[in-house]
mmCIF file of all heavy atoms in Angstrom:
data_model
loop_
_atom_site.group_PDB
_atom_site.id
_atom_site.type_symbol
_atom_site.label_atom_id
_atom_site.label_comp_id
_atom_site.label_asym_id
_atom_site.label_seq_id
_atom_site.Cartn_x
_atom_site.Cartn_y
_atom_site.Cartn_z
ATOM 1 N N VAL P 529 94.865 118.492 146.040
ATOM 2 C CA VAL P 529 94.069 117.955 144.950
ATOM 3 C C VAL P 529 93.408 116.671 145.391
ATOM 4 O O VAL P 529 94.072 115.676 145.778
ATOM 5 C CB VAL P 529 94.939 117.681 143.689
ATOM 6 C CG1 VAL P 529 94.061 117.162 142.576
ATOM 7 C CG2 VAL P 529 95.626 118.918 143.313
ATOM 8 N N ASN P 530 92.034 116.690 145.433
ATOM 9 C CA ASN P 530 91.334 115.492 145.927
ATOM 10 C C ASN P 530 90.899 114.645 144.673
ATOM 11 O O ASN P 530 89.821 114.831 144.160
ATOM 12 C CB ASN P 530 90.106 115.967 146.696
ATOM 13 C CG ASN P 530 90.446 116.383 148.096
ATOM 14 O OD1 ASN P 530 91.103 115.658 148.841
ATOM 15 N ND2 ASN P 530 90.013 117.626 148.481
ATOM 16 N N ALA P 531 91.837 113.756 144.281
ATOM 17 C CA ALA P 531 91.537 112.973 143.143
ATOM 18 C C ALA P 531 91.149 111.489 143.443
ATOM 19 O O ALA P 531 90.822 110.765 142.546
ATOM 20 C CB ALA P 531 92.849 112.853 142.255
ATOM 21 N N ALA P 532 91.140 111.216 144.754
ATOM 22 C CA ALA P 532 90.658 109.879 145.186
ATOM 23 C C ALA P 532 89.121 109.762 145.053
ATOM 24 O O ALA P 532 88.427 110.787 145.261
ATOM 25 C CB ALA P 532 91.133 109.588 146.533
ATOM 26 N N GLY P 533 88.620 108.634 144.723
ATOM 27 C CA GLY P 533 87.235 108.418 144.581
ATOM 28 C C GLY P 533 86.900 107.230 143.693
ATOM 29 O O GLY P 533 87.845 106.411 143.319
ATOM 30 N N GLY P 534 85.676 107.073 143.190
ATOM 31 C CA GLY P 534 85.372 106.003 142.340
ATOM 32 C C GLY P 534 83.984 105.375 142.648
ATOM 33 O O GLY P 534 83.246 105.911 143.483
ATOM 34 N N ASN P 535 83.719 104.262 142.012
ATOM 35 C CA ASN P 535 82.391 103.611 142.159
ATOM 36 C C ASN P 535 82.634 102.181 142.715
ATOM 37 O O ASN P 535 83.750 101.743 142.781
ATOM 38 C CB ASN P 535 81.705 103.518 140.846
ATOM 39 C CG ASN P 535 80.193 103.492 140.972
ATOM 40 O OD1 ASN P 535 79.650 103.319 142.079
ATOM 41 N ND2 ASN P 535 79.524 103.472 139.817
ATOM 42 N N VAL P 536 81.557 101.576 143.090
ATOM 43 C CA VAL P 536 81.628 100.107 143.484
ATOM 44 C C VAL P 536 80.581 99.386 142.758
ATOM 45 O O VAL P 536 79.473 99.928 142.473
ATOM 46 C CB VAL P 536 81.436 100.019 144.998
ATOM 47 C CG1 VAL P 536 82.488 100.706 145.820
ATOM 48 C CG2 VAL P 536 80.058 100.450 145.474
ATOM 49 N N PRO P 537 80.831 98.126 142.377
ATOM 50 C CA PRO P 537 79.903 97.405 141.512
ATOM 51 C C PRO P 537 78.563 97.244 142.131
ATOM 52 O O PRO P 537 77.479 97.314 141.407
ATOM 53 C CB PRO P 537 80.580 96.026 141.395
ATOM 54 C CG PRO P 537 82.055 96.294 141.580
ATOM 55 C CD PRO P 537 82.136 97.400 142.614
ATOM 56 N N GLU P 538 78.484 97.067 143.439
ATOM 57 C CA GLU P 538 77.150 96.877 144.056
ATOM 58 C C GLU P 538 76.256 98.084 143.933
ATOM 59 O O GLU P 538 74.996 97.939 144.153
ATOM 60 C CB GLU P 538 77.408 96.487 145.593
ATOM 61 C CG GLU P 538 78.036 95.130 145.780
ATOM 62 C CD GLU P 538 79.529 95.225 145.506
ATOM 63 O OE1 GLU P 538 80.134 96.387 145.439
ATOM 64 O OE2 GLU P 538 80.213 94.157 145.402
ATOM 65 N N ALA P 539 76.834 99.298 143.763
ATOM 66 C CA ALA P 539 76.011 100.514 143.668
ATOM 67 C C ALA P 539 75.710 100.867 142.223
ATOM 68 O O ALA P 539 75.178 101.938 141.940
ATOM 69 C CB ALA P 539 76.712 101.667 144.342
ATOM 70 N N THR P 540 76.015 99.990 141.291
ATOM 71 C CA THR P 540 75.840 100.225 139.880
ATOM 72 C C THR P 540 74.674 99.366 139.424
ATOM 73 O O THR P 540 74.670 98.163 139.625
ATOM 74 C CB THR P 540 77.021 99.842 139.050
ATOM 75 O OG1 THR P 540 78.172 100.717 139.529
ATOM 76 C CG2 THR P 540 76.823 100.225 137.592
ATOM 77 N N LEU P 541 73.707 99.972 138.793
ATOM 78 C CA LEU P 541 72.502 99.219 138.285
ATOM 79 C C LEU P 541 72.784 98.664 136.922
ATOM 80 O O LEU P 541 73.228 99.413 136.001
ATOM 81 C CB LEU P 541 71.299 100.173 138.235
ATOM 82 C CG LEU P 541 71.019 100.889 139.519
ATOM 83 C CD1 LEU P 541 69.791 101.755 139.433
ATOM 84 C CD2 LEU P 541 70.872 99.928 140.743
ATOM 85 N N SER P 542 72.551 97.393 136.681
ATOM 86 C CA SER P 542 72.797 96.824 135.345
ATOM 87 C C SER P 542 71.943 95.558 135.328
ATOM 88 O O SER P 542 71.672 94.905 136.288
ATOM 89 C CB SER P 542 74.272 96.570 135.119
ATOM 90 O OG SER P 542 74.728 95.624 136.074
ATOM 91 N N GLY P 543 71.686 95.160 134.043
ATOM 92 C CA GLY P 543 70.927 93.924 133.840
ATOM 93 C C GLY P 543 69.527 93.977 134.545
ATOM 94 O O GLY P 543 68.800 94.872 134.267
ATOM 95 N N GLU P 544 69.309 92.981 135.384
ATOM 96 C CA GLU P 544 67.994 92.913 136.073
ATOM 97 C C GLU P 544 67.904 93.759 137.342
ATOM 98 O O GLU P 544 66.877 93.886 137.987
ATOM 99 C CB GLU P 544 67.623 91.446 136.360
ATOM 100 C CG GLU P 544 67.514 90.585 135.093
ATOM 101 C CD GLU P 544 66.418 91.038 134.200
ATOM 102 O OE1 GLU P 544 65.352 91.441 134.670
ATOM 103 O OE2 GLU P 544 66.695 91.069 132.987
ATOM 104 N N ARG P 545 69.110 94.280 137.779
ATOM 105 C CA ARG P 545 69.065 95.039 139.002
ATOM 106 C C ARG P 545 68.463 96.450 138.767
ATOM 107 O O ARG P 545 68.973 97.236 137.976
ATOM 108 C CB ARG P 545 70.514 95.147 139.491
ATOM 109 C CG ARG P 545 70.675 95.895 140.888
ATOM 110 C CD ARG P 545 72.043 96.180 141.263
ATOM 111 N NE ARG P 545 72.827 94.916 141.477
ATOM 112 C CZ ARG P 545 74.137 94.897 141.601
ATOM 113 N NH1 ARG P 545 74.849 95.963 141.512
ATOM 114 N NH2 ARG P 545 74.762 93.685 141.833
ATOM 115 N N THR P 546 67.455 96.736 139.499
ATOM 116 C CA THR P 546 66.796 98.044 139.380
ATOM 117 C C THR P 546 67.147 98.935 140.604
ATOM 118 O O THR P 546 67.757 98.547 141.537
ATOM 119 C CB THR P 546 65.285 97.871 139.332
ATOM 120 O OG1 THR P 546 64.750 97.558 140.584
ATOM 121 C CG2 THR P 546 64.894 96.854 138.228
ATOM 122 N N PHE P 547 66.668 100.173 140.524
ATOM 123 C CA PHE P 547 66.916 101.082 141.645
ATOM 124 C C PHE P 547 66.304 100.511 142.936
ATOM 125 O O PHE P 547 66.907 100.718 143.980
ATOM 126 C CB PHE P 547 66.131 102.461 141.324
ATOM 127 C CG PHE P 547 66.050 103.366 142.482
ATOM 128 C CD1 PHE P 547 67.180 104.094 142.866
ATOM 129 C CD2 PHE P 547 64.878 103.538 143.162
ATOM 130 C CE1 PHE P 547 67.069 104.999 143.950
ATOM 131 C CE2 PHE P 547 64.778 104.398 144.248
ATOM 132 C CZ PHE P 547 65.923 105.126 144.625
ATOM 133 N N PHE P 548 65.246 99.749 142.857
ATOM 134 C CA PHE P 548 64.638 99.172 144.088
ATOM 135 C C PHE P 548 65.426 98.138 144.668
ATOM 136 O O PHE P 548 65.131 97.752 145.849
ATOM 137 C CB PHE P 548 63.219 98.791 143.746
ATOM 138 C CG PHE P 548 62.398 99.891 143.180
ATOM 139 C CD1 PHE P 548 62.085 99.868 141.784
ATOM 140 C CD2 PHE P 548 61.947 100.987 143.960
ATOM 141 C CE1 PHE P 548 61.271 100.915 141.289
ATOM 142 C CE2 PHE P 548 61.205 101.963 143.422
ATOM 143 C CZ PHE P 548 60.891 101.980 142.057
ATOM 144 N N ASP P 549 66.432 97.597 143.959
ATOM 145 C CA ASP P 549 67.317 96.558 144.482
ATOM 146 C C ASP P 549 68.578 97.114 145.011
ATOM 147 O O ASP P 549 69.504 96.371 145.479
ATOM 148 C CB ASP P 549 67.638 95.612 143.389
ATOM 149 C CG ASP P 549 66.425 94.946 142.732
ATOM 150 O OD1 ASP P 549 65.579 94.542 143.487
ATOM 151 O OD2 ASP P 549 66.386 94.894 141.495
ATOM 152 N N LEU P 550 68.830 98.507 144.949
ATOM 153 C CA LEU P 550 70.068 99.061 145.375
ATOM 154 C C LEU P 550 70.257 98.958 146.863
ATOM 155 O O LEU P 550 69.465 99.443 147.667
ATOM 156 C CB LEU P 550 70.000 100.620 145.042
ATOM 157 C CG LEU P 550 71.208 101.461 145.427
ATOM 158 C CD1 LEU P 550 72.458 100.967 144.655
ATOM 159 C CD2 LEU P 550 70.941 102.945 145.235
ATOM 160 N N PRO P 551 71.387 98.323 147.278
ATOM 161 C CA PRO P 551 71.603 98.125 148.735
ATOM 162 C C PRO P 551 71.975 99.448 149.348
ATOM 163 O O PRO P 551 72.757 100.247 148.855
ATOM 164 C CB PRO P 551 72.769 97.140 148.804
ATOM 165 C CG PRO P 551 72.855 96.522 147.435
ATOM 166 C CD PRO P 551 72.339 97.575 146.543
ATOM 167 N N GLN P 552 71.447 99.766 150.495
ATOM 168 C CA GLN P 552 71.742 100.992 151.187
ATOM 169 C C GLN P 552 73.246 100.968 151.570
ATOM 170 O O GLN P 552 73.865 102.024 151.495
ATOM 171 C CB GLN P 552 70.946 101.076 152.505
ATOM 172 C CG GLN P 552 71.234 102.305 153.314
ATOM 173 C CD GLN P 552 70.469 102.382 154.599
ATOM 174 O OE1 GLN P 552 69.393 101.728 154.738
ATOM 175 N NE2 GLN P 552 70.920 103.171 155.540
ATOM 176 N N SER P 553 73.778 99.815 151.847
ATOM 177 C CA SER P 553 75.238 99.758 152.283
ATOM 178 C C SER P 553 76.147 100.169 151.088
ATOM 179 O O SER P 553 77.140 100.889 151.277
ATOM 180 C CB SER P 553 75.571 98.334 152.758
ATOM 181 O OG SER P 553 75.290 97.391 151.718
ATOM 182 N N ALA P 554 75.768 99.740 149.898
ATOM 183 C CA ALA P 554 76.568 100.064 148.740
ATOM 184 C C ALA P 554 76.431 101.549 148.403
ATOM 185 O O ALA P 554 77.458 102.182 148.052
ATOM 186 C CB ALA P 554 76.126 99.231 147.497
ATOM 187 N N PHE P 555 75.226 102.066 148.505
ATOM 188 C CA PHE P 555 75.068 103.525 148.326
ATOM 189 C C PHE P 555 75.911 104.313 149.240
ATOM 190 O O PHE P 555 76.566 105.260 148.922
ATOM 191 C CB PHE P 555 73.598 103.865 148.470
ATOM 192 C CG PHE P 555 73.250 105.240 148.033
ATOM 193 C CD1 PHE P 555 73.061 105.595 146.676
ATOM 194 C CD2 PHE P 555 73.168 106.272 148.968
ATOM 195 C CE1 PHE P 555 72.677 106.838 146.304
ATOM 196 C CE2 PHE P 555 72.791 107.597 148.592
ATOM 197 C CZ PHE P 555 72.582 107.867 147.328
ATOM 198 N N GLY P 556 75.885 103.881 150.543
ATOM 199 C CA GLY P 556 76.656 104.568 151.565
ATOM 200 C C GLY P 556 78.135 104.478 151.375
ATOM 201 O O GLY P 556 78.914 105.358 151.532
ATOM 202 N N GLU P 557 78.580 103.295 150.858
ATOM 203 C CA GLU P 557 80.097 103.099 150.503
ATOM 204 C C GLU P 557 80.535 104.115 149.442
ATOM 205 O O GLU P 557 81.606 104.677 149.588
ATOM 206 C CB GLU P 557 80.272 101.669 150.087
ATOM 207 C CG GLU P 557 81.723 101.323 149.873
ATOM 208 C CD GLU P 557 81.979 99.876 149.466
ATOM 209 O OE1 GLU P 557 81.038 99.077 149.585
ATOM 210 O OE2 GLU P 557 83.145 99.557 149.152
ATOM 211 N N VAL P 558 79.676 104.276 148.420
ATOM 212 C CA VAL P 558 80.048 105.240 147.352
ATOM 213 C C VAL P 558 80.066 106.670 147.884
ATOM 214 O O VAL P 558 80.956 107.467 147.511
ATOM 215 C CB VAL P 558 79.117 105.072 146.126
ATOM 216 C CG1 VAL P 558 79.452 106.133 145.053
ATOM 217 C CG2 VAL P 558 79.220 103.754 145.554
ATOM 218 N N LEU P 559 79.092 107.001 148.689
ATOM 219 C CA LEU P 559 79.048 108.362 149.326
ATOM 220 C C LEU P 559 80.360 108.576 150.139
ATOM 221 O O LEU P 559 80.895 109.622 150.108
ATOM 222 C CB LEU P 559 77.804 108.531 150.168
ATOM 223 C CG LEU P 559 76.499 108.794 149.419
ATOM 224 C CD1 LEU P 559 75.405 108.887 150.414
ATOM 225 C CD2 LEU P 559 76.676 110.117 148.593
ATOM 226 N N ASP P 560 80.685 107.593 150.951
ATOM 227 C CA ASP P 560 81.887 107.661 151.804
ATOM 228 C C ASP P 560 83.087 107.905 150.900
ATOM 229 O O ASP P 560 83.919 108.765 151.196
ATOM 230 C CB ASP P 560 82.056 106.419 152.681
ATOM 231 C CG ASP P 560 81.161 106.468 153.883
ATOM 232 O OD1 ASP P 560 80.541 107.475 154.171
ATOM 233 O OD2 ASP P 560 80.990 105.392 154.528
ATOM 234 N N LEU P 561 83.226 107.049 149.907
ATOM 235 C CA LEU P 561 84.536 107.081 149.109
ATOM 236 C C LEU P 561 84.693 108.474 148.401
ATOM 237 O O LEU P 561 85.822 108.962 148.330
ATOM 238 C CB LEU P 561 84.419 105.931 148.031
ATOM 239 C CG LEU P 561 85.621 105.828 147.101
ATOM 240 C CD1 LEU P 561 86.865 105.606 147.882
ATOM 241 C CD2 LEU P 561 85.333 104.684 146.053
ATOM 242 N N ASN P 562 83.594 109.033 147.926
ATOM 243 C CA ASN P 562 83.729 110.216 147.116
ATOM 244 C C ASN P 562 83.437 111.523 147.917
ATOM 245 O O ASN P 562 84.183 112.445 147.748
ATOM 246 C CB ASN P 562 82.702 110.122 145.906
ATOM 247 C CG ASN P 562 83.064 109.115 144.928
ATOM 248 O OD1 ASN P 562 83.998 109.305 144.104
ATOM 249 N ND2 ASN P 562 82.405 107.961 145.009
ATOM 250 N N LEU P 563 82.430 111.569 148.729
ATOM 251 C CA LEU P 563 82.110 112.792 149.515
ATOM 252 C C LEU P 563 82.941 112.867 150.760
ATOM 253 O O LEU P 563 83.631 113.810 150.949
ATOM 254 C CB LEU P 563 80.585 112.767 149.789
ATOM 255 C CG LEU P 563 80.111 113.968 150.615
ATOM 256 C CD1 LEU P 563 80.521 115.274 149.950
ATOM 257 C CD2 LEU P 563 78.646 113.929 150.894
#
Side-chain angles (χ1 to χ4, degrees):
V529 180
N530 284 307
N535 204 356
V536 297
E538 293 78 13
T540 301
L541 308 181
S542 60
E544 298 300 317
R545 182 188 295 170
T546 72
F547 169 77
F548 304 106
D549 303 314
L550 177 68
Q552 179 181 339
S553 59
F555 189 83
E557 185 178 350
V558 175
L559 282 179
D560 282 348
L561 180 59
N562 293 281
L563 178 57

